[in-house]
């Protein structure tokens, strides 16, 4: 007998019930979740509509819960249905990933790996790690996506990437993900080479707040740093703001306007060396919170992901030791 989601006396679901769901059940749920229509689902499953109705009834009997509301022109998943559809899609995605990687390994390859990374210092580490990984695993199929940490966290949750290099954007995320520190990241206020604030004099917060700024989106860690600095001083930016996640667009804008921007030092260094941008001496934080490797809690990384993590961990440790040696020599 099916039970509705709002019944408070529902028996808890047990593992043996879920184990009765077959691969075909998951395929059926995934297609029905997309079509919301039994006739279309039956066509895509190459079966009759009565057979499709029987499969849905079997699934609901196994789970002892109604998953869909039957409407005159379709099916609407209820709360339990939406949760079950997410499970079915995730399980099928895991099957597909296994088949792809198994086939690649069987043919002498080294699997697939999707990595998401923030820009700046993390990108420099990533480039070195990718070069070394290609040497160690020349047949690895590697996908690299660059984005801000807030978007990378979403992609990691949705399993669109296997591992990310970035930061938490909310403390609650520490319960969902595994974090391993890699390095810190320097910051620098940057402007076009002809900006009036260029030179050795240190600009104060009040003076800086009167200039227009190019800022990263509000959900990013870098934006939170700049917002916190001015808000703690009781100041707000008064001369215009342009928000963009694109560093290259920010560079073009700084070169053609008198706008300021707080950027990762690793990103702007080569532009400063080439005379395309200038640093502004200012009383602002010169470091971001540390960034690191982030993976899903409770899900062991794939062999390819583990190999990548070992490589980038070694490179980060080497860079850190080199930085300490340079600091000792300067002192």
């Amino acid at each position: 007998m099916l039970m509705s989601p709002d019944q408070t006396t529902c028996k808890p679901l047990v593992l043996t019930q879920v184990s009765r769901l077959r691969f075909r059940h998951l395929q059926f749920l995934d297609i029905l979740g997309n079509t919301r229509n039994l006739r279309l689902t039956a066509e895509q499953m190459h079966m009759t509509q009565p057979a499709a109705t029987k499969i849905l009834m079997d699934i609901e009997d196994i789970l002892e819960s109604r998953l869909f509301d039957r409407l005159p022109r379709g099916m609407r998943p209820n709360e339990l249905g939406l949760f079950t559809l997410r499970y079915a899609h995730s399980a099928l995605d895991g099957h597909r990933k296994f088949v792809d990687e198994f086939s690649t390994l069987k043919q002498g390859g080294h699997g697939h790996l999707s990595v998401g990374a923030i820009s700046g210092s993390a990108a420099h580490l990533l480039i070195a790690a990718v070069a070394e990984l290609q040497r160690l695993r020349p047949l690895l199929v590697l996908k690299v996506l660059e984005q801000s940490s807030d978007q990378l966290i979403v992609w990691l949750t949705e399993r669109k990437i296997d591992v990310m290099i970035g930061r938490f954007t909310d403390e609650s995320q520490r319960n969902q993900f595994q974090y391993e520190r890699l390095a810190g990241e320097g910051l620098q206020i940057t402007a076009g080479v002809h900006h009036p604030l260029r030179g050795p004099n240190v600009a104060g917060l009040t003076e800086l707040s009167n200039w227009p700024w190019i800022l990263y989106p509000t959900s990013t860690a870098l934006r939170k740093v700049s917002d916190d600095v001015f808000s703690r001083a009781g100041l707000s930016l008064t001369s215009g703001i342009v928000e963009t996640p694109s560093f290259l667009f920010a560079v073009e804008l700084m070169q053609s306007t008198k706008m300021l921007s707080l950027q990762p030092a690793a990103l702007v260094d080569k532009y400063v060396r080439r005379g395309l941008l200038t640093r502004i001496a200012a009383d602002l934080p010169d470091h971001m919170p540390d960034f690191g490797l982030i993976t899903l809690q409770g899900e062991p990384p794939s062999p390819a992901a583990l190999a990548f993590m070992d490589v980038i961990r070694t490179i980060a440790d080497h860079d850190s030791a080199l930085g300490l040696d340079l600091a000792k020599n300067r002192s």
Side-chain angles (χ1 to χ4, degrees):
M1 176 180 173
L2 296 180
M3 297 185 180
S4 62
D6 57 348
Q7 285 181 285
T8 59
T9 58
C10 289
K11 294 184 294 182
L13 189 66
V14 295
L15 190 59
T16 53
Q17 288 173 264
V18 178
S19 67
R20 291 171 57 198
L21 289 175
R22 301 191 301 274
F23 186 77
R24 193 163 179 78
H25 289 149
L26 300 178
Q27 286 181 308
F28 178 87
L29 285 169
D30 197 40
I31 294 173
L32 183 57
N34 289 325
T35 65
R36 307 294 171 94
N37 184 287
L38 267 178
R39 180 181 61 79
L40 294 176
T41 300
E43 290 177 1
Q44 293 188 35
M45 295 285 290
H46 305 291
M47 62 176 61
T48 64
Q49 187 166 336
T53 302
K54 172 81 166 50
I55 286 183
L56 178 58
M57 292 176 62
D58 288 345
I59 293 171
E60 291 183 326
D61 282 341
I62 289 171
L63 299 178
E64 297 181 354
S65 299
R66 185 173 294 277
L67 304 179
F68 289 84
D69 296 327
R70 279 64 167 171
L71 304 176
R73 295 191 177 184
M75 311 285 287
R76 183 175 61 199
N78 56 34
E79 185 177 2
L80 288 176
L82 289 171
F83 183 77
T84 306
L85 290 177
R86 285 196 296 271
Y87 164 73
H89 182 79
S90 176
L92 287 176
D93 194 52
H95 279 288
R96 285 188 287 266
K97 189 172 182 180
F98 167 77
V99 171
D100 288 344
E101 293 197 10
F102 187 88
S103 299
T104 302
L105 288 168
K106 188 176 179 181
Q107 295 167 15
H110 292 280
H112 294 71
L113 179 64
S114 295
V115 178
I118 57 176
S119 56
S121 300
H124 289 252
L125 277 180
L126 179 61
I127 290 169
V130 168
E132 176 63 10
L133 196 62
Q134 285 294 297
R135 185 186 69 81
L136 297 172
R137 292 179 172 238
L139 297 180
L140 176 69
V141 179
L142 180 63
K143 181 190 292 184
V144 177
L145 301 172
E146 186 180 75
Q147 252 299 349
S148 56
S149 290
D150 58 318
Q151 182 59 62
L152 293 177
I153 283 282
V154 174
W155 288 344
L156 186 60
T157 304
E158 296 173 348
R159 294 169 177 78
K160 292 180 179 178
I161 56 176
D162 301 301
V163 59
M164 71 171 271
I165 307 170
R167 304 177 177 86
F168 291 128
T169 55
D170 189 294
E171 282 302 309
S172 64
Q173 294 166 348
R174 295 185 182 275
N175 298 324
Q176 302 172 257
F177 304 94
Q178 185 73 33
Y179 175 84
E180 179 183 343
R181 180 190 181 278
L182 284 176
E185 183 169 36
L187 293 177
Q188 181 63 59
I189 295 183
T190 315
V193 292
H194 301 298
H195 198 282
L197 292 182
R198 72 188 186 281
N201 295 332
V202 176
L205 288 179
T206 301
E207 185 176 12
L208 291 171
S209 68
N210 291 326
W211 288 93
W213 280 77
I214 305 165
L215 299 174
Y216 282 84
T218 54
S219 57
T220 60
L222 187 49
R223 175 62 177 273
K224 289 175 182 176
V225 170
S226 57
D227 284 353
D228 286 348
V229 169
F230 287 106
S231 63
R232 282 200 302 265
L235 298 169
S236 59
L237 303 181
T238 59
S239 295
I241 292 173
V242 172
E243 285 190 7
T244 178
S246 170
F247 172 70
L248 293 180
F249 178 73
V251 169
E252 294 289 339
L253 201 53
M254 283 185 279
Q255 290 175 337
S256 58
T257 69
K258 290 185 171 64
M259 301 190 80
L260 301 172
S261 187
L262 185 63
Q263 294 284 347
L267 273 182
V268 301
D269 276 348
K270 68 178 181 180
Y271 291 88
V272 173
R273 289 196 306 268
R274 294 173 184 175
L276 300 174
L277 294 174
T278 188
R279 294 188 178 94
I280 304 298
D283 186 20
L284 276 184
D286 60 358
H287 278 82
M288 281 274 282
D290 295 342
F291 64 87
L293 288 165
I294 301 178
T295 54
L296 283 168
Q297 191 82 263
E299 292 194 14
S302 67
L306 286 172
F308 167 79
M309 293 165 69
D310 284 341
V311 167
I312 200 166
R313 187 184 295 121
T314 300
I315 293 171
D317 289 345
H318 176 268
D319 285 0
S320 177
L322 185 62
L324 288 174
D325 288 342
L326 289 174
K328 288 179 182 177
N329 291 336
R330 291 193 193 101
S331 62

